[in-house]
Amino acid sequence: MTYRVVQWSTGNVGRHAIAGIDAHPELELAGVWVSNPDKAGKDAGELAGLGRSLGVEATTDADALLALKPDCVVYTAMADDRLGEALADLQRILRAGVDVVSSSPVFLQFPDGVVPGEVSGPVRAAAAEGGASLWVNGVDPGFANDWLPLVLTGVCERIDEVRCFEILDYSTYDNRKVVFDIMGFGGSLDETPMLLQPGVLSLAWGSVVRQLAAGLGVELDSVEESFERLPARSTFEIPSGTIREGTAAALRFEVRGMRGGRPVCVLEHVTRLHPDLGPDWPQPSGRGCYRVQVTGEPNYTMDLRLVGTDGDHNTAGLKATAMRLVNAIPAVVAAPPGLLTALDLPLVTGRGLVS
């Protein structure tokens, strides 16, 4: 069976999704939506950097794309600074009867206990009205802290704590809005950026620890968060701007799912813009990795090292996010209508094994 797919946005993740859709033997790219009028009329292959035409022109006309009645939309538009608009987009697509796989808003990967019903309720209602499904995922939040740790716990006798790490050098992540405005890198340590405002970490990654707990059959008492930051030792340049000496250049945070007064499911991020920062913090395998650490009987540590074909770990992370969505399309289309979680889907594998 061939599934007709519309790609919604062509940014850092979206362009990789276009390449993935094109490479998948069961998928057909039916359309591409862009927010920038300058991209309208351009071929999808050009926007994805494929060096060849795919015969599909991008458009800003959402109604025209939904009128195509695609089987699925891959929604990768950034939502961090436009939550209301993103939620409205998703509801519009779902009400049109089109299934969606999306990289955002991340709290929708497992919203129960994370956001109030007035946030998730309209999305569920739109899905019911259109008879469509929505699955929000990626690599983190996503694969690195849902199926990856849950599979590892399948060889445990006793589980005391499951801890999922992202340990990455973000210096090559070329998105100024995320790096500077949302995460606060390059800013004063006396100022609190959007990501570190009270409750935001738990909003973004509380879904991770609550889904892990649900997968393990554990009811959490509460979710806690904490963070620490380090300054740059000298001024240096990264693709998205200048990091001046003394400004924020490293971040470590935790979102902890608590049970009986102790952490049982933990999400930890260690983010550096220079490898010499935080030498006593957890170190990655290579320049970047996702790590799962299970404490119990026995103890396990598993590293998932990321390296793109261009040699960059951040490219690999963007590709992983895109392909987590693209490869799940057949399973999401086959699923019953509603707001889906990773616990609702079968094991999703890749396609196109090279023989």
Side-chain angles (χ1 to χ4, degrees):
M1 178 176 179
T2 299
Y3 301 88
R4 298 173 65 249
V5 180
V6 164
Q7 172 57 39
W8 205 280
S9 88
T10 59
N12 278 345
V13 176
R15 60 190 182 89
H16 290 294
I18 290 174
I21 293 166
D22 179 60
H24 198 295
E26 296 178 288
L27 305 181
E28 174 191 339
L29 184 65
V32 175
W33 181 87
V34 289
S35 60
N36 185 347
D38 292 339
K39 292 183 177 181
K42 292 187 176 181
D43 187 85
E46 177 186 353
L47 294 174
L50 297 181
R52 55 186 171 84
S53 172
L54 296 183
V56 177
E57 290 186 354
T59 179
T60 58
D61 190 342
D63 289 331
L65 292 175
L66 294 178
L68 296 174
K69 298 295 182 183
D71 296 294
C72 192
V73 163
V74 181
Y75 187 91
T76 57
M78 186 172 173
D80 294 355
D81 60 344
R82 49 180 293 280
L83 283 176
E85 294 175 48
L87 289 169
D89 287 343
L90 294 175
Q91 291 168 47
R92 178 185 187 182
I93 298 167
L94 292 168
R95 280 195 297 268
V98 180
D99 294 321
V100 186
V101 293
S102 177
S103 58
S104 61
V106 293
F107 54 74
L108 287 179
Q109 78 150 349
F110 194 86
D112 295 341
V114 179
V115 293
E118 54 262 34
V119 175
S120 60
V123 178
R124 297 182 194 273
E129 180 182 340
S133 297
L134 168 64
W135 188 63
V136 177
N137 213 266
V139 67
D140 183 345
F143 175 74
N145 33 61
D146 55 41
W147 272 114
L148 192 65
L150 288 174
V151 167
L152 187 58
T153 64
V155 287
C156 290
E157 175 187 308
R158 188 189 76 250
I159 303 166
D160 299 327
E161 180 187 279
V162 179
R163 181 174 292 260
C164 300
F165 297 82
E166 179 188 85
I167 312 173
L168 290 179
D169 180 331
Y170 267 41
S171 63
T172 61
Y173 185 66
D174 192 8
N175 186 322
R176 185 177 178 85
K177 181 176 287 293
V178 170
V179 175
F180 283 78
D181 299 341
I182 294 175
M183 301 185 75
F185 288 122
S188 171
L189 291 173
D190 294 328
E191 298 174 355
T192 304
M194 174 184 168
L195 182 66
L196 303 179
Q197 295 290 332
V200 173
L201 290 174
S202 294
L203 176 66
W205 283 277
S207 57
V208 167
V209 297
R210 290 190 181 277
Q211 183 167 244
L212 270 177
L216 296 171
V218 174
E219 184 174 344
L220 298 177
D221 298 327
S222 63
V223 173
E224 301 178 354
E225 61 183 51
S226 63
F227 68 87
E228 57 181 311
R229 294 190 287 172
L230 296 175
R233 297 177 178 178
S234 60
T235 298
F236 59 91
E237 299 289 332
I238 60 175
S240 53
T242 301
I243 305 298
R244 301 197 179 281
E245 181 181 357
T247 63
L251 169 65
R252 182 182 185 182
F253 69 77
E254 288 187 4
V255 179
R256 297 179 293 274
M258 307 296 290
R259 173 75 175 176
R262 65 180 183 85
V264 293
C265 297
V266 182
L267 183 284
E268 180 174 350
H269 274 210
V270 178
T271 309
R272 299 175 173 90
L273 296 185
H274 198 280
D276 68 352
L277 296 170
D280 56 330
W281 290 1
Q283 297 291 333
S285 171
R287 291 193 67 194
C289 74
Y290 288 99
R291 178 172 296 156
V292 177
Q293 184 174 290
V294 179
T295 304
E297 179 55 46
N299 297 309
Y300 293 108
T301 298
M302 175 173 62
D303 278 3
L304 177 65
R305 182 178 176 183
L306 289 77
V307 183
T309 53
D310 62 357
D312 184 62
H313 53 288
N314 282 310
T315 301
L318 294 169
K319 177 71 73 172
T321 293
M323 294 314 302
R324 177 69 160 155
L325 301 176
V326 169
N327 286 330
I329 289 172
V332 171
V333 172
L339 182 52
L340 307 173
T341 76
L343 303 179
D344 299 317
L345 294 186
L347 179 65
V348 173
T349 62
R351 291 291 186 271
L353 181 66
V354 178
S355 59

